[in-house]
Amino acid sequence: MSKNIRDCTTLNNGTNMPWLGFGVYQIEEGPQTERAVIHALETGYRSIDTASIYGNERSVGRAIRKSGIPREDIFLTTKVWNDDQRSKRTLDAFEESLERLEVEYVDLYLVHWPVADCYVDTWRDMEKIYQSGRSKAIGVSNFLQPHLEKLLPQSDITPAVNQVEFHPRLLQPELLAFCHSRDIRMEAWSPLMQGQVAVEPQIVALAKKYQRTPAQIALRWDLQHAVITIPKSSRPERIAENAAIFDFELAVEDMELLNSLNNSHRLGPDPLSFSF
Ligand code: NAD
């Protein structure tokens, strides 16, 4: 298992992706995003997760350049939004993301949501983007097993990653096992339950036991499930706290205790019925 912040998993096409990344959802375009990303990079994070719909790709790109860290040392993810899928603009949307980020390539391009009647066509365009070499890997987000079972027989390239809502209240063991069996790496969004892990009594109790914080317990649980994790914070002390998860290990019984908190509780929309 990973021992430090730079450790990577090797995706199904041979690309290396850090186990820990930094999410920038709901951080405002401009100095706020710039500061947060620069701080994360200074702390040692080397993976940044944005999306066209977050509206902060320009600031993410600017922060990467200002950091002075070579582009090739940073793993950059962005995503194609639903309206672009509906209007069959995936190829154009990708170009526009590259322009806003001011980069030659991204490391991972994701289909943000499985828009019904669109996502198989979208995936064909994702494959073209991959073949062009301007995304080192391609993947999906918010895909449940039925979406993947429909997509896989119609695709030449298996998604490298499936980024889904994942935390101790939403374990989705079947989806995890299915992705594992197809060599699709799961990635957790809202790994901290948008902050609610801090008030979950069992997680708080485990934090006391390990002399860690609840956030660190939840993120360590992701790593031990072999799930990539991308916590978000704009506060420097929390950015550092969320990265200090590589020097302890949860015992098997404590992993099981956390697993037992699962009650299929979603904070975000259900991918089978979302309407945007
Ligand atoms: P998160 O679970 O990472 O929670 C972030 C919030 O938790 C912060 O705003 C803060 O209030 C709190 N927090 C942060 N660090 C903390 C700490 N150490 N202790 C206590 N509270 C803390 O939620 P998120 O931002 O929704 O998800 C993380 C990332 O996942 C996003 O930034 C984005 O990149 C990605 N994401 C993707 C999708 C998708 O549809 N693909 C959806 C949502 C989020």
Side-chain angles (χ1 to χ4, degrees):
M1 191 68 254
S2 35
K3 288 274 183 270
N4 75 67
I5 191 168
R6 305 280 165 86
D7 279 353
C8 290
T9 173
T10 302
L11 303 178
N12 63 16
N13 71 341
T15 299
N16 287 329
M17 176 171 187
W19 286 106
L20 178 71
F22 183 67
V24 297
Y25 178 46
Q26 288 178 327
I27 312 186
E28 223 174 280
E29 170 88 313
Q32 255 194 308
T33 296
E34 254 183 67
R35 266 199 303 271
V37 172
I38 288 174
H39 197 85
L41 292 171
E42 283 172 351
T43 304
Y45 292 75
R46 285 295 177 272
S47 168
I48 310 293
D49 182 88
T50 185
S52 59
I53 195 70
Y54 300 170
N56 55 18
E57 289 174 313
R58 286 181 205 284
S59 308
V60 168
R62 212 171 293 129
I64 289 174
R65 285 189 299 284
K66 277 192 182 170
S67 76
I69 296 168
R71 168 69 188 92
E72 61 273 20
D73 291 351
I74 294 173
F75 191 100
L76 180 58
T77 301
T78 193
K79 317 183 188 88
V80 56
W81 185 241
N82 303 345
D83 293 338
D84 291 317
Q85 292 190 60
R86 289 191 188 97
S87 44
K88 311 212 175 305
R89 292 189 71 260
T90 298
L91 297 175
D92 288 343
F94 178 70
E95 296 299 333
E96 289 159 10
S97 280
L98 290 189
E99 277 166 27
R100 283 189 293 268
L101 288 158
E102 290 188 56
V103 293
E104 300 289 317
Y105 68 93
V106 294
D107 296 277
L108 180 63
Y109 197 47
L110 298 178
V111 180
H112 207 145
W113 286 85
V115 176
D117 304 325
C118 290
Y119 64 85
V120 175
D121 287 341
T122 302
W123 190 251
R124 297 214 171 90
D125 285 338
M126 300 290 285
E127 291 179 334
K128 286 182 197 145
I129 290 166
Y130 178 68
Q131 303 294 5
S132 79
R134 287 176 317 143
S135 187
K136 303 290 177 200
I138 50 173
V140 295
S141 176
N142 299 302
F143 277 48
L144 302 184
Q145 193 168 329
H147 301 118
L148 291 167
E149 281 172 340
K150 180 173 168 191
L151 179 67
L152 292 179
Q154 302 186 67
S155 52
D156 293 329
I157 300 170
T158 298
V161 166
N162 186 16
Q163 182 186 110
V164 297
E165 183 180 342
F166 185 91
H167 44 68
R169 291 284 184 203
L170 185 65
L171 171 59
Q172 307 165 90
E174 298 84 9
L175 181 63
L176 191 56
F178 180 82
C179 286
H180 187 71
S181 73
R182 304 304 164 100
D183 209 6
I184 300 169
R185 179 62 68 201
M186 285 259 284
E187 181 178 14
W189 65 254
S190 291
L192 303 175
M193 297 176 66
Q194 293 167 1
Q196 290 177 38
V197 292
V199 294
E200 283 282 341
Q202 279 105 328
I203 301 180
V204 172
L206 279 181
K208 284 210 180 83
K209 173 174 170 184
Y210 285 88
Q211 299 193 314
R212 296 284 163 162
T213 66
Q216 290 169 334
I217 298 291
L219 297 171
R220 182 69 207 181
W221 176 80
D222 293 338
L223 297 183
Q224 290 183 219
H225 271 299
V227 170
I228 295 163
T229 192
I230 48 169
K232 170 236 158 182
S233 175
S234 31
R235 288 166 47 174
E237 71 281 8
R238 283 180 166 175
I239 292 174
E241 176 188 328
N242 296 343
I245 54 173
F246 295 96
D247 57 350
F248 75 106
E249 189 160 348
L250 296 168
V252 174
E253 63 270 23
D254 294 327
M255 286 295 290
E256 280 163 10
L257 193 151
L258 288 165
N259 294 347
S260 75
L261 300 182
N262 176 36
N263 59 359
S264 304
H265 175 64
R266 286 185 184 282
L267 304 169
D270 187 332
L272 291 177
S273 59
F274 70 99
S275 59
F276 46 85

